[in-house]
Amino acid sequence: MQFDEVVYKIRIQPAGGLLKKKTKSEKRQILNGVSGSVYPGEMLAMLGPSGSGKTTLLTSLGGRLGGDLTGTITYNGKPFSNAMKRNIGFVTQDDVLYPNLTVAETLVYTALLRLPRTLTKAEKVNHAEAVIAQLGLTRCRNSIIGGAFLRGVSGGERKRVSIGQEMLINPSLLFLDEPTSGLDSTTAQKIVSTLWELANGASTVVMTIHQPSSRLFYMFHKVLLMSEGNPLYFGKGAHVLAYFSSVGFSPSVAMNPADFLLDLANGVATADTNEDEEAVKQSLVKAYKTQLCKVVKMELAVDVSLHTSSNDRMLKGWSNTWLDQFSVLLRRGIKERKHDSFSTMKIVQVLIVAVLVGIFWWQSTINHLQDQVGLLFFISNFWGIYPLFQALFTIPKERMMLTKERASGMYRLSSFFMALTIGDLPMELALPTVFYAIVYWMAGLKPKPGAFFSGLFVILYNVLISQGLGLAIGAVVMDQQTATTLGSVIMLAFGLGSGFYVQHVPVFIAWVKYISINQYSLKLLLASQYEYDQTYNCGTNQTFLVRDFPAVKSVGISMKGTILSVVVMAVMLVFYRLVTYLALMRVGVTRK
């Protein structure tokens, strides 16, 4: 891999939110013409203090940084491509793993998704087992990963699992962002030793590291030192002290070379506190440009074919078929989310509400038409709000995983989307079915199979549409708090516009009923219980048409209205999921 004069700028927006002054945004340069190269069999370490730009550079080299990025970055002399990202491993600083999966399950599912279709399932599983043994994870292979509120494996073991996911594909180029962050020196030594062995196997390893021990430092083949986006040194790790000594900066006492380099990057040359830090930094930048820059440029001019392997391991297309991807993602999703979807708390919650509703509307008759209509509206409203709020958090929770895996080219977005949608259906449809069966019997609704099943169809139809709306809001907003607020406002508007609370809605807001899920589902529930010419007795020996009852008339029951409601809800079902899919297309998109 070679990179020449890499420059990256970001636009700084003025603070103040809605009350901010209308001032022109400014651009800030994060990377200032960084160049270098690293070849198979080499391990490059990027050092520098926090804010020096090393993570930004690593992300840009890994093809995961968009925006105002200029310069030349090539891989075996070729630019970044979608095929390239399937052969590059990238380990982020924060371990993005599913907390409820075990170590073995995590690596096996990754192997099934990333390894080529030419291998059988058994061969992929065996490859995952080999990586588990290589990384020393055998002892904890059946332990869950865990998370912030779930006890699991240790931090070092979690980091090794993240590295193992990338090692599965035997990457020709592996990027790691702070792989030793937060780990003790022994664990850090084990991880870097594993990476050193990987580099010796003809792979290229590039990492950022904050403050390595001296033992780790001497394992790096090349070192890139950065300060405030400027390169201060690029070259062999063994020559770094000699170079800085030649430009007038030597450690006053025997010390860890990494500590000395970080002191220089911070502008601290000696123990003399009166020395101007900015002057030291500028002196080092100038020294790099006059002495090292030409050497780096000469190395970039070397024919890359002299260093590349003759064994072409490039995966040109998707590793597996759409069906294989869907199958693995579905099984993984069900195993990860079953603890939440099939939670005892959720089941008990729905059962309690069902029993309470049945008690309040116990054996209601058609002569109490207002009560029955109110019951149908409550059912429609409840099974609009409940699945929506369950779905609101699905996409935001999956965002980091989707970003990571899409950036690696693991699967098609369509296979992920279908697996996510179908994986949640069993519990999404089972709970409303049980709820409706309990309420229907206790409330004494129309005792005919046709009425029961048509009403159940409406409830499940309503659940699917509301779930789709929740997924769409979550995917578009990508923030749980904002999505909750937006979802609450939308469902409140749909409920008010359904025609049950207010029959005489002002013209300027009456359009809400045409997009209200509640209005259409209530119309269908009324049609499942009452005939067009059905009458009721309000206790005065007089009969009245159900369709003329105010709460029913404002919604309406007719064959034409029933067909229209089914069609409109079908459009909503497709539309909300289409919005979700389009919103997901922007997640994990990297530069071409």
PDB file of all heavy atoms in Angstrom, residues 493-525:
ATOM      1  N   ALA A 493     -50.964  12.041  16.299  1.00  0.00           N
ATOM      2  CA  ALA A 493     -51.690  12.657  15.184  1.00  0.00           C
ATOM      3  C   ALA A 493     -52.576  11.636  14.481  1.00  0.00           C
ATOM      4  O   ALA A 493     -53.728  11.932  14.119  1.00  0.00           O
ATOM      5  CB  ALA A 493     -50.695  13.268  14.195  1.00  0.00           C
ATOM      6  N   PHE A 494     -52.063  10.416  14.294  1.00  0.00           N
ATOM      7  CA  PHE A 494     -52.856   9.364  13.649  1.00  0.00           C
ATOM      8  C   PHE A 494     -54.088   9.016  14.489  1.00  0.00           C
ATOM      9  O   PHE A 494     -55.185   8.807  13.963  1.00  0.00           O
ATOM     10  CB  PHE A 494     -52.002   8.112  13.447  1.00  0.00           C
ATOM     11  CG  PHE A 494     -51.044   8.210  12.299  1.00  0.00           C
ATOM     12  CD1 PHE A 494     -50.150   7.178  12.034  1.00  0.00           C
ATOM     13  CD2 PHE A 494     -51.018   9.326  11.478  1.00  0.00           C
ATOM     14  CE1 PHE A 494     -49.263   7.259  10.966  1.00  0.00           C
ATOM     15  CE2 PHE A 494     -50.134   9.423  10.415  1.00  0.00           C
ATOM     16  CZ  PHE A 494     -49.248   8.386  10.162  1.00  0.00           C
ATOM     17  N   GLY A 495     -53.909   8.950  15.816  1.00  0.00           N
ATOM     18  CA  GLY A 495     -55.033   8.623  16.696  1.00  0.00           C
ATOM     19  C   GLY A 495     -56.093   9.713  16.682  1.00  0.00           C
ATOM     20  O   GLY A 495     -57.301   9.424  16.605  1.00  0.00           O
ATOM     21  N   LEU A 496     -55.664  10.970  16.757  1.00  0.00           N
ATOM     22  CA  LEU A 496     -56.617  12.084  16.741  1.00  0.00           C
ATOM     23  C   LEU A 496     -57.316  12.208  15.389  1.00  0.00           C
ATOM     24  O   LEU A 496     -58.474  12.628  15.313  1.00  0.00           O
ATOM     25  CB  LEU A 496     -55.896  13.392  17.078  1.00  0.00           C
ATOM     26  CG  LEU A 496     -55.336  13.505  18.498  1.00  0.00           C
ATOM     27  CD1 LEU A 496     -54.540  14.794  18.648  1.00  0.00           C
ATOM     28  CD2 LEU A 496     -56.460  13.460  19.531  1.00  0.00           C
ATOM     29  N   GLY A 497     -56.622  11.843  14.327  1.00  0.00           N
ATOM     30  CA  GLY A 497     -57.198  11.972  12.992  1.00  0.00           C
ATOM     31  C   GLY A 497     -57.974  10.757  12.534  1.00  0.00           C
ATOM     32  O   GLY A 497     -58.451  10.727  11.390  1.00  0.00           O
ATOM     33  N   SER A 498     -58.127   9.766  13.400  1.00  0.00           N
ATOM     34  CA  SER A 498     -58.803   8.532  12.995  1.00  0.00           C
ATOM     35  C   SER A 498     -60.318   8.681  12.896  1.00  0.00           C
ATOM     36  O   SER A 498     -60.991   7.830  12.321  1.00  0.00           O
ATOM     37  CB  SER A 498     -58.473   7.411  13.994  1.00  0.00           C
ATOM     38  OG  SER A 498     -58.998   7.731  15.282  1.00  0.00           O
ATOM     39  N   GLY A 499     -60.871   9.727  13.492  1.00  0.00           N
ATOM     40  CA  GLY A 499     -62.321   9.931  13.436  1.00  0.00           C
ATOM     41  C   GLY A 499     -63.072   9.436  14.638  1.00  0.00           C
ATOM     42  O   GLY A 499     -64.294   9.570  14.710  1.00  0.00           O
ATOM     43  N   PHE A 500     -62.359   8.871  15.617  1.00  0.00           N
ATOM     44  CA  PHE A 500     -63.047   8.373  16.820  1.00  0.00           C
ATOM     45  C   PHE A 500     -63.200   9.477  17.856  1.00  0.00           C
ATOM     46  O   PHE A 500     -64.284   9.683  18.401  1.00  0.00           O
ATOM     47  CB  PHE A 500     -62.259   7.203  17.413  1.00  0.00           C
ATOM     48  CG  PHE A 500     -62.881   6.665  18.689  1.00  0.00           C
ATOM     49  CD1 PHE A 500     -63.998   5.846  18.646  1.00  0.00           C
ATOM     50  CD2 PHE A 500     -62.355   7.007  19.931  1.00  0.00           C
ATOM     51  CE1 PHE A 500     -64.574   5.367  19.813  1.00  0.00           C
ATOM     52  CE2 PHE A 500     -62.912   6.529  21.100  1.00  0.00           C
ATOM     53  CZ  PHE A 500     -64.030   5.699  21.046  1.00  0.00           C
ATOM     54  N   TYR A 501     -62.146  10.207  18.133  1.00  0.00           N
ATOM     55  CA  TYR A 501     -62.210  11.261  19.139  1.00  0.00           C
ATOM     56  C   TYR A 501     -62.977  12.480  18.633  1.00  0.00           C
ATOM     57  O   TYR A 501     -63.796  13.060  19.350  1.00  0.00           O
ATOM     58  CB  TYR A 501     -60.790  11.702  19.539  1.00  0.00           C
ATOM     59  CG  TYR A 501     -60.021  10.677  20.333  1.00  0.00           C
ATOM     60  CD1 TYR A 501     -58.802  10.191  19.868  1.00  0.00           C
ATOM     61  CD2 TYR A 501     -60.494  10.206  21.545  1.00  0.00           C
ATOM     62  CE1 TYR A 501     -58.077   9.258  20.591  1.00  0.00           C
ATOM     63  CE2 TYR A 501     -59.785   9.270  22.276  1.00  0.00           C
ATOM     64  CZ  TYR A 501     -58.579   8.804  21.797  1.00  0.00           C
ATOM     65  OH  TYR A 501     -57.874   7.880  22.521  1.00  0.00           O
ATOM     66  N   VAL A 502     -62.676  12.887  17.412  1.00  0.00           N
ATOM     67  CA  VAL A 502     -63.271  14.107  16.850  1.00  0.00           C
ATOM     68  C   VAL A 502     -63.940  13.768  15.527  1.00  0.00           C
ATOM     69  O   VAL A 502     -63.269  13.289  14.605  1.00  0.00           O
ATOM     70  CB  VAL A 502     -62.204  15.201  16.630  1.00  0.00           C
ATOM     71  CG1 VAL A 502     -62.875  16.509  16.205  1.00  0.00           C
ATOM     72  CG2 VAL A 502     -61.379  15.408  17.893  1.00  0.00           C
ATOM     73  N   GLN A 503     -65.274  14.022  15.459  1.00  0.00           N
ATOM     74  CA  GLN A 503     -65.982  13.748  14.203  1.00  0.00           C
ATOM     75  C   GLN A 503     -65.988  14.972  13.260  1.00  0.00           C
ATOM     76  O   GLN A 503     -66.121  14.827  12.055  1.00  0.00           O
ATOM     77  CB  GLN A 503     -67.425  13.324  14.478  1.00  0.00           C
ATOM     78  CG  GLN A 503     -67.562  11.857  14.850  1.00  0.00           C
ATOM     79  CD  GLN A 503     -67.695  11.628  16.351  1.00  0.00           C
ATOM     80  OE1 GLN A 503     -68.507  12.288  17.001  1.00  0.00           O
ATOM     81  NE2 GLN A 503     -66.918  10.709  16.898  1.00  0.00           N
ATOM     82  N   HIS A 504     -65.881  16.161  13.824  1.00  0.00           N
ATOM     83  CA  HIS A 504     -65.920  17.381  13.020  1.00  0.00           C
ATOM     84  C   HIS A 504     -64.533  18.022  13.045  1.00  0.00           C
ATOM     85  O   HIS A 504     -64.283  18.988  13.766  1.00  0.00           O
ATOM     86  CB  HIS A 504     -66.977  18.347  13.564  1.00  0.00           C
ATOM     87  CG  HIS A 504     -68.340  17.719  13.669  1.00  0.00           C
ATOM     88  ND1 HIS A 504     -69.104  17.411  12.570  1.00  0.00           N
ATOM     89  CD2 HIS A 504     -69.058  17.319  14.758  1.00  0.00           C
ATOM     90  CE1 HIS A 504     -70.240  16.862  12.968  1.00  0.00           C
ATOM     91  NE2 HIS A 504     -70.239  16.783  14.292  1.00  0.00           N
ATOM     92  N   VAL A 505     -63.651  17.478  12.223  1.00  0.00           N
ATOM     93  CA  VAL A 505     -62.264  17.953  12.182  1.00  0.00           C
ATOM     94  C   VAL A 505     -62.168  19.137  11.222  1.00  0.00           C
ATOM     95  O   VAL A 505     -62.748  19.100  10.137  1.00  0.00           O
ATOM     96  CB  VAL A 505     -61.322  16.825  11.711  1.00  0.00           C
ATOM     97  CG1 VAL A 505     -59.874  17.311  11.692  1.00  0.00           C
ATOM     98  CG2 VAL A 505     -61.470  15.603  12.607  1.00  0.00           C
ATOM     99  N   PRO A 506     -61.492  20.235  11.614  1.00  0.00           N
ATOM    100  CA  PRO A 506     -61.315  21.383  10.709  1.00  0.00           C
ATOM    101  C   PRO A 506     -60.717  20.956   9.379  1.00  0.00           C
ATOM    102  O   PRO A 506     -59.875  20.045   9.319  1.00  0.00           O
ATOM    103  CB  PRO A 506     -60.373  22.303  11.486  1.00  0.00           C
ATOM    104  CG  PRO A 506     -60.591  21.933  12.915  1.00  0.00           C
ATOM    105  CD  PRO A 506     -60.878  20.472  12.930  1.00  0.00           C
ATOM    106  N   VAL A 507     -61.121  21.638   8.326  1.00  0.00           N
ATOM    107  CA  VAL A 507     -60.706  21.255   6.974  1.00  0.00           C
ATOM    108  C   VAL A 507     -59.188  21.287   6.807  1.00  0.00           C
ATOM    109  O   VAL A 507     -58.592  20.409   6.160  1.00  0.00           O
ATOM    110  CB  VAL A 507     -61.370  22.194   5.933  1.00  0.00           C
ATOM    111  CG1 VAL A 507     -60.889  21.865   4.529  1.00  0.00           C
ATOM    112  CG2 VAL A 507     -62.871  22.099   6.018  1.00  0.00           C
ATOM    113  N   PHE A 508     -58.524  22.279   7.397  1.00  0.00           N
ATOM    114  CA  PHE A 508     -57.085  22.436   7.166  1.00  0.00           C
ATOM    115  C   PHE A 508     -56.253  21.320   7.785  1.00  0.00           C
ATOM    116  O   PHE A 508     -55.077  21.171   7.465  1.00  0.00           O
ATOM    117  CB  PHE A 508     -56.605  23.798   7.676  1.00  0.00           C
ATOM    118  CG  PHE A 508     -56.745  23.988   9.164  1.00  0.00           C
ATOM    119  CD1 PHE A 508     -55.764  23.562  10.040  1.00  0.00           C
ATOM    120  CD2 PHE A 508     -57.875  24.614   9.680  1.00  0.00           C
ATOM    121  CE1 PHE A 508     -55.897  23.749  11.405  1.00  0.00           C
ATOM    122  CE2 PHE A 508     -58.017  24.804  11.047  1.00  0.00           C
ATOM    123  CZ  PHE A 508     -57.026  24.373  11.923  1.00  0.00           C
ATOM    124  N   ILE A 509     -56.854  20.520   8.691  1.00  0.00           N
ATOM    125  CA  ILE A 509     -56.115  19.412   9.301  1.00  0.00           C
ATOM    126  C   ILE A 509     -56.777  18.070   9.010  1.00  0.00           C
ATOM    127  O   ILE A 509     -56.259  17.014   9.403  1.00  0.00           O
ATOM    128  CB  ILE A 509     -55.977  19.641  10.827  1.00  0.00           C
ATOM    129  CG1 ILE A 509     -54.870  18.773  11.444  1.00  0.00           C
ATOM    130  CG2 ILE A 509     -57.311  19.386  11.522  1.00  0.00           C
ATOM    131  CD1 ILE A 509     -53.493  19.101  10.962  1.00  0.00           C
ATOM    132  N   ALA A 510     -57.877  18.080   8.292  1.00  0.00           N
ATOM    133  CA  ALA A 510     -58.638  16.849   8.036  1.00  0.00           C
ATOM    134  C   ALA A 510     -57.863  15.852   7.185  1.00  0.00           C
ATOM    135  O   ALA A 510     -58.156  14.656   7.190  1.00  0.00           O
ATOM    136  CB  ALA A 510     -59.965  17.189   7.355  1.00  0.00           C
ATOM    137  N   TRP A 511     -56.845  16.316   6.450  1.00  0.00           N
ATOM    138  CA  TRP A 511     -56.063  15.434   5.576  1.00  0.00           C
ATOM    139  C   TRP A 511     -55.303  14.356   6.352  1.00  0.00           C
ATOM    140  O   TRP A 511     -54.908  13.327   5.776  1.00  0.00           O
ATOM    141  CB  TRP A 511     -55.066  16.247   4.751  1.00  0.00           C
ATOM    142  CG  TRP A 511     -54.139  17.078   5.584  1.00  0.00           C
ATOM    143  CD1 TRP A 511     -54.325  18.363   5.978  1.00  0.00           C
ATOM    144  CD2 TRP A 511     -52.885  16.669   6.149  1.00  0.00           C
ATOM    145  NE1 TRP A 511     -53.278  18.795   6.748  1.00  0.00           N
ATOM    146  CE2 TRP A 511     -52.369  17.762   6.861  1.00  0.00           C
ATOM    147  CE3 TRP A 511     -52.151  15.487   6.110  1.00  0.00           C
ATOM    148  CZ2 TRP A 511     -51.163  17.707   7.545  1.00  0.00           C
ATOM    149  CZ3 TRP A 511     -50.950  15.425   6.778  1.00  0.00           C
ATOM    150  CH2 TRP A 511     -50.448  16.530   7.487  1.00  0.00           C
ATOM    151  N   VAL A 512     -55.128  14.560   7.669  1.00  0.00           N
ATOM    152  CA  VAL A 512     -54.365  13.598   8.467  1.00  0.00           C
ATOM    153  C   VAL A 512     -55.004  12.220   8.422  1.00  0.00           C
ATOM    154  O   VAL A 512     -54.317  11.193   8.425  1.00  0.00           O
ATOM    155  CB  VAL A 512     -54.246  14.093   9.932  1.00  0.00           C
ATOM    156  CG1 VAL A 512     -53.626  13.013  10.820  1.00  0.00           C
ATOM    157  CG2 VAL A 512     -53.409  15.361   9.985  1.00  0.00           C
ATOM    158  N   LYS A 513     -56.347  12.178   8.344  1.00  0.00           N
ATOM    159  CA  LYS A 513     -57.020  10.882   8.375  1.00  0.00           C
ATOM    160  C   LYS A 513     -56.670  10.016   7.166  1.00  0.00           C
ATOM    161  O   LYS A 513     -56.742   8.790   7.226  1.00  0.00           O
ATOM    162  CB  LYS A 513     -58.542  11.068   8.459  1.00  0.00           C
ATOM    163  CG  LYS A 513     -59.198  11.627   7.211  1.00  0.00           C
ATOM    164  CD  LYS A 513     -60.700  11.717   7.401  1.00  0.00           C
ATOM    165  CE  LYS A 513     -61.391  12.259   6.131  1.00  0.00           C
ATOM    166  NZ  LYS A 513     -62.860  12.349   6.318  1.00  0.00           N
ATOM    167  N   TYR A 514     -56.260  10.648   6.071  1.00  0.00           N
ATOM    168  CA  TYR A 514     -55.933   9.877   4.869  1.00  0.00           C
ATOM    169  C   TYR A 514     -54.585   9.162   4.975  1.00  0.00           C
ATOM    170  O   TYR A 514     -54.291   8.272   4.174  1.00  0.00           O
ATOM    171  CB  TYR A 514     -55.946  10.795   3.645  1.00  0.00           C
ATOM    172  CG  TYR A 514     -57.302  11.389   3.364  1.00  0.00           C
ATOM    173  CD1 TYR A 514     -57.521  12.755   3.510  1.00  0.00           C
ATOM    174  CD2 TYR A 514     -58.373  10.587   2.976  1.00  0.00           C
ATOM    175  CE1 TYR A 514     -58.771  13.312   3.273  1.00  0.00           C
ATOM    176  CE2 TYR A 514     -59.637  11.132   2.730  1.00  0.00           C
ATOM    177  CZ  TYR A 514     -59.815  12.493   2.881  1.00  0.00           C
ATOM    178  OH  TYR A 514     -61.065  13.027   2.646  1.00  0.00           O
ATOM    179  N   ILE A 515     -53.762   9.570   5.935  1.00  0.00           N
ATOM    180  CA  ILE A 515     -52.479   8.886   6.139  1.00  0.00           C
ATOM    181  C   ILE A 515     -52.436   8.183   7.497  1.00  0.00           C
ATOM    182  O   ILE A 515     -51.386   7.670   7.892  1.00  0.00           O
ATOM    183  CB  ILE A 515     -51.304   9.870   6.022  1.00  0.00           C
ATOM    184  CG1 ILE A 515     -51.412  10.978   7.074  1.00  0.00           C
ATOM    185  CG2 ILE A 515     -51.218  10.456   4.628  1.00  0.00           C
ATOM    186  CD1 ILE A 515     -50.181  11.870   7.152  1.00  0.00           C
ATOM    187  N   SER A 516     -53.584   8.166   8.189  1.00  0.00           N
ATOM    188  CA  SER A 516     -53.639   7.578   9.529  1.00  0.00           C
ATOM    189  C   SER A 516     -53.832   6.065   9.458  1.00  0.00           C
ATOM    190  O   SER A 516     -54.822   5.580   8.900  1.00  0.00           O
ATOM    191  CB  SER A 516     -54.775   8.205  10.333  1.00  0.00           C
ATOM    192  OG  SER A 516     -54.993   7.500  11.533  1.00  0.00           O
ATOM    193  N   ILE A 517     -52.887   5.332  10.023  1.00  0.00           N
ATOM    194  CA  ILE A 517     -53.022   3.875  10.087  1.00  0.00           C
ATOM    195  C   ILE A 517     -54.236   3.517  10.925  1.00  0.00           C
ATOM    196  O   ILE A 517     -54.995   2.600  10.590  1.00  0.00           O
ATOM    197  CB  ILE A 517     -51.747   3.251  10.703  1.00  0.00           C
ATOM    198  CG1 ILE A 517     -50.507   3.621   9.892  1.00  0.00           C
ATOM    199  CG2 ILE A 517     -51.887   1.737  10.806  1.00  0.00           C
ATOM    200  CD1 ILE A 517     -49.206   3.181  10.517  1.00  0.00           C
ATOM    201  N   ASN A 518     -54.464   4.257  12.010  1.00  0.00           N
ATOM    202  CA  ASN A 518     -55.573   3.964  12.925  1.00  0.00           C
ATOM    203  C   ASN A 518     -56.923   4.056  12.235  1.00  0.00           C
ATOM    204  O   ASN A 518     -57.823   3.255  12.494  1.00  0.00           O
ATOM    205  CB  ASN A 518     -55.543   4.936  14.112  1.00  0.00           C
ATOM    206  CG  ASN A 518     -54.230   4.901  14.854  1.00  0.00           C
ATOM    207  OD1 ASN A 518     -53.200   5.267  14.312  1.00  0.00           O
ATOM    208  ND2 ASN A 518     -54.250   4.460  16.101  1.00  0.00           N
ATOM    209  N   GLN A 519     -57.075   5.044  11.353  1.00  0.00           N
ATOM    210  CA  GLN A 519     -58.354   5.241  10.684  1.00  0.00           C
ATOM    211  C   GLN A 519     -58.706   4.059   9.799  1.00  0.00           C
ATOM    212  O   GLN A 519     -59.829   3.557   9.818  1.00  0.00           O
ATOM    213  CB  GLN A 519     -58.298   6.530   9.856  1.00  0.00           C
ATOM    214  CG  GLN A 519     -59.663   7.061   9.447  1.00  0.00           C
ATOM    215  CD  GLN A 519     -59.981   6.778   7.981  1.00  0.00           C
ATOM    216  OE1 GLN A 519     -61.148   6.701   7.608  1.00  0.00           O
ATOM    217  NE2 GLN A 519     -58.971   6.624   7.163  1.00  0.00           N
ATOM    218  N   TYR A 520     -57.744   3.558   9.065  1.00  0.00           N
ATOM    219  CA  TYR A 520     -57.995   2.431   8.156  1.00  0.00           C
ATOM    220  C   TYR A 520     -58.177   1.122   8.916  1.00  0.00           C
ATOM    221  O   TYR A 520     -59.033   0.306   8.571  1.00  0.00           O
ATOM    222  CB  TYR A 520     -56.857   2.306   7.141  1.00  0.00           C
ATOM    223  CG  TYR A 520     -56.786   3.469   6.195  1.00  0.00           C
ATOM    224  CD1 TYR A 520     -55.743   4.397   6.260  1.00  0.00           C
ATOM    225  CD2 TYR A 520     -57.764   3.670   5.226  1.00  0.00           C
ATOM    226  CE1 TYR A 520     -55.669   5.476   5.395  1.00  0.00           C
ATOM    227  CE2 TYR A 520     -57.707   4.760   4.349  1.00  0.00           C
ATOM    228  CZ  TYR A 520     -56.663   5.651   4.445  1.00  0.00           C
ATOM    229  OH  TYR A 520     -56.615   6.725   3.584  1.00  0.00           O
ATOM    230  N   SER A 521     -57.374   0.900   9.956  1.00  0.00           N
ATOM    231  CA  SER A 521     -57.512  -0.341  10.720  1.00  0.00           C
ATOM    232  C   SER A 521     -58.824  -0.356  11.500  1.00  0.00           C
ATOM    233  O   SER A 521     -59.477  -1.397  11.617  1.00  0.00           O
ATOM    234  CB  SER A 521     -56.328  -0.514  11.676  1.00  0.00           C
ATOM    235  OG  SER A 521     -56.247   0.558  12.600  1.00  0.00           O
ATOM    236  N   LEU A 522     -59.265   0.811  12.031  1.00  0.00           N
ATOM    237  CA  LEU A 522     -60.548   0.891  12.724  1.00  0.00           C
ATOM    238  C   LEU A 522     -61.698   0.620  11.755  1.00  0.00           C
ATOM    239  O   LEU A 522     -62.666  -0.075  12.094  1.00  0.00           O
ATOM    240  CB  LEU A 522     -60.713   2.265  13.375  1.00  0.00           C
ATOM    241  CG  LEU A 522     -62.046   2.509  14.116  1.00  0.00           C
ATOM    242  CD1 LEU A 522     -62.240   1.474  15.228  1.00  0.00           C
ATOM    243  CD2 LEU A 522     -62.084   3.921  14.697  1.00  0.00           C
ATOM    244  N   LYS A 523     -61.596   1.140  10.555  1.00  0.00           N
ATOM    245  CA  LYS A 523     -62.623   0.906   9.534  1.00  0.00           C
ATOM    246  C   LYS A 523     -62.755  -0.596   9.237  1.00  0.00           C
ATOM    247  O   LYS A 523     -63.861  -1.145   9.130  1.00  0.00           O
ATOM    248  CB  LYS A 523     -62.272   1.672   8.260  1.00  0.00           C
ATOM    249  CG  LYS A 523     -63.368   1.660   7.184  1.00  0.00           C
ATOM    250  CD  LYS A 523     -62.847   2.268   5.888  1.00  0.00           C
ATOM    251  CE  LYS A 523     -62.591   3.754   6.026  1.00  0.00           C
ATOM    252  NZ  LYS A 523     -63.840   4.545   6.110  1.00  0.00           N
ATOM    253  N   LEU A 524     -61.610  -1.290   9.139  1.00  0.00           N
ATOM    254  CA  LEU A 524     -61.635  -2.726   8.851  1.00  0.00           C
ATOM    255  C   LEU A 524     -62.144  -3.527  10.042  1.00  0.00           C
ATOM    256  O   LEU A 524     -62.844  -4.532   9.877  1.00  0.00           O
ATOM    257  CB  LEU A 524     -60.233  -3.195   8.464  1.00  0.00           C
ATOM    258  CG  LEU A 524     -59.704  -2.674   7.120  1.00  0.00           C
ATOM    259  CD1 LEU A 524     -58.271  -3.153   6.892  1.00  0.00           C
ATOM    260  CD2 LEU A 524     -60.594  -3.136   5.974  1.00  0.00           C
ATOM    261  N   LEU A 525     -61.795  -3.109  11.266  1.00  0.00           N
ATOM    262  CA  LEU A 525     -62.303  -3.807  12.446  1.00  0.00           C
ATOM    263  C   LEU A 525     -63.819  -3.651  12.569  1.00  0.00           C
ATOM    264  O   LEU A 525     -64.523  -4.599  12.945  1.00  0.00           O
ATOM    265  CB  LEU A 525     -61.606  -3.277  13.703  1.00  0.00           C
ATOM    266  CG  LEU A 525     -60.174  -3.751  13.946  1.00  0.00           C
ATOM    267  CD1 LEU A 525     -59.565  -3.043  15.152  1.00  0.00           C
ATOM    268  CD2 LEU A 525     -60.132  -5.267  14.152  1.00  0.00           C
TER     269      LEU A 525
END
